Amino acid sequence: LGTVLAASFLFAGAAQADTYTSDAAHTYVLFKVTHMGIAPNFGQFLKHNAKIEWDAANPKFEFEVETGSVFTGVQKRDKHLRGPDFFNAKQFPKITFKSTSATKQGDAWQVTGDLTMNGQTKPVTATIKKTGEGKDPWGNYRLGLYAEFTVKRSEFGMTYGIDKGIAGDEVTLM
């Protein structure tokens, strides 16, 4: 339920700004949530894509995650996460984010946008850091980014287990 967008983006074209699309082999969408109030549990989404229009004055970010691709390494838990208690993947097959503004702060950007999950859209702000850029050994130009933010899953209608302490409300997305 989180998104770490630890990513390497492959150059896709140029106009006013350079446009990058995610390189599936080097992009990860991860999440962390406290389990039983004791320790963090981690998971990821295996199917996702992102697009960035990189303009140093006003970068734009978009990403999309397939909820049915949630993976925690425990088949029974993954099935539960895909069901109506959490992502309801049949009814809401995608989580999306589209930036509405970006403000440079030091070596990072504070990016605000609309996160849509479980049919509900809420504004969120993520810190996005550029981790590097340049040509790879095959001549492709790449841009590396890392993003992290926290959401309350209850704000998106996912309240299962919060009252009993089974799973925390706050989820960190990377």
Side-chain angles (χ1 to χ4, degrees), residues 33-93:
V33 63
T34 302
H35 181 250
M36 304 290 254
I38 298 170
N41 268 357
F42 293 85
Q44 66 179 313
F45 292 93
L46 300 175
K47 295 182 180 178
H48 46 76
N49 62 65
K51 182 175 100 173
I52 296 171
E53 292 180 26
W54 190 257
D55 174 344
N58 186 29
K60 294 181 173 77
F61 302 86
E62 293 181 30
F63 75 80
E64 182 178 273
V65 170
E66 291 185 27
T67 56
S69 74
V70 67
F71 176 78
T72 65
V74 179
Q75 191 174 19
K76 186 175 177 181
R77 180 173 45 218
D78 294 348
K79 184 177 179 183
H80 189 201
L81 289 171
R82 290 182 191 108
D85 286 337
F86 291 95
F87 295 110
N88 200 355
K90 286 184 182 178
Q91 186 174 357
F92 303 109

Side-chain angles (χ1 to χ4, degrees), residues 12-151:
Q16 295 286 56
D18 292 334
T19 299
Y20 295 85
T21 55
S22 53
D23 173 0
H26 299 98
T27 302
Y28 305 92
V29 179
L30 310 172
F31 62 90
K32 174 178 78 169
V33 63
T34 302
H35 181 250
M36 304 290 254
I38 298 170
N41 268 357
F42 293 85
Q44 66 179 313
F45 292 93
L46 300 175
K47 295 182 180 178
H48 46 76
N49 62 65
K51 182 175 100 173
I52 296 171
E53 292 180 26
W54 190 257
D55 174 344
N58 186 29
K60 294 181 173 77
F61 302 86
E62 293 181 30
F63 75 80
E64 182 178 273
V65 170
E66 291 185 27
T67 56
S69 74
V70 67
F71 176 78
T72 65
V74 179
Q75 191 174 19
K76 186 175 177 181
R77 180 173 45 218
D78 294 348
K79 184 177 179 183
H80 189 201
L81 289 171
R82 290 182 191 108
D85 286 337
F86 291 95
F87 295 110
N88 200 355
K90 286 184 182 178
Q91 186 174 357
F92 303 109
K94 301 210 185 284
I95 297 169
T96 61
F97 174 84
K98 186 171 185 174
S99 66
T100 55
S101 67
T103 305
K104 184 135 175 73
Q105 292 186 343
D107 65 346
W109 290 88
Q110 293 301 308
V111 178
T112 299
D114 294 323
L115 179 68
T116 300
M117 183 166 42
N118 263 5
Q120 298 180 44
T121 302
K122 306 282 181 194
V124 298
T125 299
T127 300
I128 299 178
K129 293 182 181 180
K130 185 166 76 168
T131 58
E133 67 180 303
K135 285 191 176 187
D136 66 19
W138 303 274
N140 300 304
Y141 198 81
R142 294 182 180 263
L143 172 66
L145 301 171
Y146 176 81
E148 185 168 322
F149 59 99
T150 300
V151 298

